[in-house]
Amino acid sequence: MYVEMRNIYKQYGNFRASDNVSFGIEKGKLAALLGPSGSGKTTLLRMIAGLENPNAGDIFIDGNRVNDIPAAKREIGFVFQSYALFRYMTVYDNIAFGLKVQKADKTYIKKRVTELIELIGLKGLEKRYPSQLSGGQRQRVGIARALAVEPKFIMCDEPISALDVSIQAQVVNLLIKLQREMGLTYLFISHDLSMVKHISDRVGVMYLGSFVELASNEVLYSSPKHPYTQALISAIPEADPDYESQKEKTKLEGEVPSPLNPPSGCKFRTRCKYATERCAQEPPVFREVEPDHFVACHLFDKDGEK
Ligand code: ADP
Ligand code: MG
């Protein structure tokens, strides 16, 4: 595994934002996280980046435990939801920022930034300020800035959700092109189920701080097992004559419960049509129910009991 989290817990006061999360990404692959707002996706990324510390658990990058390594030394690129550029710096200076912090050689900085500007298709716009760019161009600068220091691992937190729909594909295509050309490993958060299906190798689904399902892209989209994942996947519009009836079958009732007062046992049970007494008492274990397919649900416990 290139990046691995083992038994991660993160507590904010009484509230648990990460509840025993274990998760790994192989080198050169793109892993995506799905899950409702507030399920703890951004918190996981911030812990991998070193912007937050877990209360318990270990984080490994390329085989090394990084819990005690400061953010600046973890060699991770971070592309945020809103472009988060320095408004008073030009395109050039925004991209050069990380290299200057590292005190890289001036000639090298010039060469690297020029190369990146070409790569993201913004040649000629070096001297512009963020306010003189379109949303898509700003996000390209954000991507170049993340890549400048040559990280091998890139995390993207909803990198396109603030962009106009018409340019979302361009930015995603740029990210994928860079991944292939540079052999990068990605962790991607998105609400766009179709996009995730299109770009990822592996998909994890979170709900109230825990993983409920993790599998390869193909398996997750073609045979989701957890009732929450089934509801998510069935909400993707498709040119399927049975779509409406299918959707009816897995329609999800109610809202995500307050994370401050999560349900006992399985945190999804209040919205699950299969919930039984056992689900209220015993939290399901996140386990491998088929090779490389992990699910946290009593429906898939080996003894067949509910
Ligand atoms: P997601 O990215 O899946 O929407 P987040 O990881 O941002 O979820 O947040 C998970 C939960 O942790 C949310 O309920 C959020 O309010 C809470 N949270 C995040 N950061 C903090 C913080 N610094 N202090 C207190 N609560 C936080
Ligand atoms: Mg988030």
Side-chain angles (χ1 to χ4, degrees):
M1 288 292 167
Y2 191 70
V3 179
E4 198 167 2
M5 305 187 95
R6 281 194 210 144
N7 307 107
I8 295 288
Y9 290 87
K10 177 68 185 175
Q11 200 84 21
Y12 290 118
N14 291 330
F15 161 60
R16 193 166 276 177
S18 302
D19 191 3
N20 196 11
V21 172
S22 296
F23 172 59
I25 308 168
E26 280 174 55
K27 195 170 185 144
K29 300 284 182 191
L30 193 155
L33 291 181
L34 296 171
S37 178
S39 55
K41 305 179 299 297
T42 297
T43 302
L44 280 192
L45 263 58
R46 290 176 59 79
M47 288 190 285
I48 298 174
L51 304 171
E52 298 274 357
N53 283 317
N55 294 90
D58 300 306
I59 302 171
F60 298 88
I61 298 178
D62 210 8
N64 302 311
R65 187 175 179 276
V66 296
N67 289 55
D68 303 318
I69 297 186
K73 297 223 164 117
R74 291 196 192 182
E75 298 183 335
I76 292 173
F78 212 143
V79 180
F80 297 93
Q81 177 169 6
S82 50
Y83 345 94
L85 300 179
F86 300 111
R87 298 149 57 116
Y88 54 89
M89 283 187 200
T90 61
V91 166
Y92 184 97
D93 289 335
N94 263 287
I95 299 174
F97 180 78
L99 293 166
K100 286 185 182 163
V101 170
Q102 287 189 347
K103 302 204 168 25
D105 172 73
K106 275 204 180 108
T107 328
Y108 173 74
I109 296 180
K110 183 142 196 245
K111 179 171 165 280
R112 178 82 185 144
V113 175
T114 309
E115 221 171 69
L116 283 163
I117 287 175
E118 201 149 318
L119 202 63
I120 58 167
L122 292 188
K123 212 173 162 196
L125 305 185
E126 295 81 346
K127 296 212 167 72
R128 289 212 188 167
Y129 287 88
S131 62
Q132 299 168 312
L133 300 174
S134 73
Q137 289 171 334
R138 267 182 249 164
Q139 193 59 314
R140 283 162 185 268
V141 177
I143 292 167
R145 193 176 63 178
L147 288 170
V149 296
E150 297 189 62
K152 295 276 177 291
F153 179 52
I154 306 282
M155 297 197 288
C156 301
D157 193 351
E158 303 190 32
I160 57 162
S161 57
L163 301 177
D164 196 89
V165 176
S166 62
I167 53 162
Q168 288 183 347
Q170 285 175 25
V171 172
V172 169
N173 290 342
L174 173 66
L175 283 164
I176 300 305
K177 178 179 146 221
L178 297 170
Q179 185 198 13
R180 299 213 173 116
E181 284 173 10
M182 302 182 188
L184 302 168
T185 308
Y186 274 50
L187 178 55
F188 211 97
I189 296 178
S190 174
H191 287 295
D192 186 333
L193 289 156
S194 309
M195 201 264 287
V196 166
K197 183 179 181 184
H198 180 62
I199 65 170
S200 55
D201 298 301
R202 223 168 146 65
V203 185
V205 183
M206 293 190 71
Y207 193 84
L208 286 178
S210 304
F211 270 68
V212 295
E213 189 155 3
L214 174 66
S216 71
N217 176 329
E218 283 132 47
V219 168
L220 192 107
Y221 279 87
S222 63
S223 43
K225 287 189 184 291
H226 193 281
Y228 176 67
T229 317
Q230 289 181 352
L232 266 188
I233 302 295
S234 70
I236 304 174
E238 270 180 272
D240 174 356
D242 291 332
Y243 171 60
E244 282 308 317
S245 58
Q246 186 71 23
K247 194 172 159 189
E248 206 48 44
K249 260 193 273 173
T250 43
K251 205 168 98 189
L252 200 52
E253 305 274 327
E255 297 290 315
V256 181
S258 161
L260 286 169
N261 188 18
S264 63
C266 173
K267 286 180 273 191
F268 184 64
R269 70 175 169 84
T270 51
R271 302 172 79 194
C272 181
K273 64 181 176 187
Y274 306 109
T276 64
E277 194 47 40
R278 184 177 175 195
C279 303
Q281 279 151 16
E282 208 184 307
V285 176
F286 186 59
R287 68 171 111 225
E288 193 166 14
V289 299
E290 275 173 17
D292 201 35
H293 191 165
F294 298 80
V295 184
C297 176
H298 289 308
L299 284 172
F300 302 97
D301 285 350
K302 281 218 175 65
D303 55 13
E305 248 181 50
K306 281 225 254 159

